[in-house]
Amino acid sequence: MEILKLIGMLIEYPDDALWQHQDEIRSLAEQQQPALLPFINHYLATPPLDMQADWCALFERGRATSLLLFEHVHAESRDRGQAMVDLLAKYEQAGLQLNCRELPDYLPLYLEYLSLREPSEARQGLLDIAPILALLGGRLKERESAFSELFDALLTIANSPLRSQSVAQQVATEARDDTREALDAVWEEEQVKFIDDKACDNSAQQQHQRRFRDEAAPQYLDLSAGGSR
C-alpha cells in the first residue's frame, strides 16, 4: 500500500524532495486517497521552510503530539523497551533497515513497514494503533492543524470507526503542554539535572523522553481497555 508510505512522508519532517516530486505525489493520492488532495495541494504550495517551522511547532513541543507511538501507551515504563524490541524484530523480518537515529515506534517508520505488508495485514496494523491515531488527530484538530486530515485518512484506510472528532471531548479538557509556561517548566527542570552525565545526549530518544515531565502531562492510552485513562 504505497499510500501509507506517502502519508508517512507527509507526517514526517518536511523534506525538500517532496516539492521536487509533486506530480508523482498528486498522482498517487488521486488514485488511492483523493480526499487528501486539498491537504497535499496546500502542503506543496507552502514554502518548505515555512512548512518545516509549522511541523516543529506541532510535533516537537511536548509529548501530546509526539510521533513516537509508544509514548502514548507506555510513556517511559519498562514495557516500552520490550515493545521496541518486538517491533524492531518485525522490521528486520520484513527487511527494513533502521539507521542509528530512528526509533522503531516512530510513526512514519511504522507506516513504511506497513506499506510493505499485504493490504489486510497493513489494515490490521493500523487498527492496532487506531486509538493513538485518533488521539493524535484529535489533538491536532484542537490546534486547528490540517495535519489532522492525515490521521483521519489512516483511520479510513483501516476501516476504523474512530476519527479525530471521536476524542474531541477528551482533548478539549486536556492541558496544553506546548505553551510558554510548559516549556519554561521543562527548561527549569532540566537545568536542575545539569550534572547528569547524559545531559549532553542529543539523540532523538533523549529529546523525546525528557520533554514535559510533570507539567500538563497528556493522558495515556490503555489499549487493553480500549480507551484512555
Side-chain angles (χ1 to χ4, degrees):
M1 300 182 74
E2 291 180 292
I3 190 64
L4 295 184
K5 184 172 182 179
L6 174 58
I7 293 176
M9 292 171 65
L10 292 170
I11 291 176
E12 197 167 12
Y13 182 78
D15 189 327
D16 290 346
L18 290 174
W19 281 263
Q20 298 168 12
H21 296 86
Q22 297 189 27
D23 291 341
E24 297 95 319
I25 290 172
R26 289 192 178 94
S27 176
L28 177 59
E30 187 173 12
Q31 294 172 23
Q32 300 191 26
Q33 199 66 210
L36 281 180
L37 282 174
F39 172 86
I40 290 173
N41 288 333
H42 171 74
Y43 185 109
L44 296 176
T46 305
L49 286 177
D50 291 345
M51 186 57 69
Q52 289 165 357
D54 290 346
W55 187 94
C56 289
L58 285 171
F59 299 111
E60 286 293 307
R61 292 183 180 177
R63 292 175 172 176
T65 55
S66 171
L67 294 176
L68 296 176
L69 295 170
F70 296 153
E71 176 65 43
H72 304 285
V73 182
H74 304 300
E76 296 180 25
S77 71
R78 294 181 179 179
D79 292 338
R80 184 174 185 173
Q82 186 57 53
M84 290 277 201
V85 171
D86 294 342
L87 191 52
L88 184 59
K90 290 183 178 180
Y91 291 166
E92 292 175 345
Q93 291 174 5
L96 189 62
Q97 299 296 319
L98 278 66
N99 64 42
C100 62
R101 298 184 61 184
E102 294 172 330
L103 292 175
D105 64 335
Y106 186 50
L107 178 57
L109 179 62
Y110 182 67
L111 293 176
E112 182 177 356
Y113 160 71
L114 292 183
S115 74
L116 301 174
R117 316 310 297 167
E118 294 295 324
S120 60
E121 185 178 349
R123 289 190 179 91
Q124 183 58 54
L126 291 174
L127 281 174
D128 290 342
I129 62 168
I132 301 174
L133 296 175
L135 188 62
L136 286 169
R139 287 168 175 165
L140 292 169
K141 197 176 191 71
E142 175 74 9
R143 300 179 189 191
E144 300 182 343
S145 169
F147 273 90
S148 65
E149 297 174 24
L150 297 178
F151 293 84
D152 280 335
L154 291 172
L155 291 166
T156 298
I157 294 171
N159 294 324
S160 169
L162 296 175
R163 294 293 184 274
S164 58
Q165 191 61 32
S166 303
V167 296
Q169 185 174 359
Q170 171 189 332
V171 169
T173 64
E174 293 179 346
R176 292 277 292 263
D177 65 355
D178 63 337
T179 63
R180 183 182 299 275
E181 292 77 14
L183 290 167
D184 287 345
V186 174
W187 174 260
E188 291 172 1
E189 179 178 347
E190 292 198 354
Q191 290 304 298
V192 172
K193 297 184 176 181
F194 70 95
I195 298 179
D196 186 347
D197 58 2
K198 295 182 180 179
C200 294
D201 186 346
N202 291 319
S203 69
Q205 183 175 17
Q206 288 295 324
Q207 289 175 11
H208 281 284
Q209 287 184 340
R210 293 187 309 207
R211 292 181 190 277
F212 308 96
R213 302 282 181 176
D214 300 315
E215 295 294 323
Q219 300 180 34
Y220 296 111
L221 295 173
D222 181 359
L223 295 185
S224 63
S228 61
R229 55 182 172 87

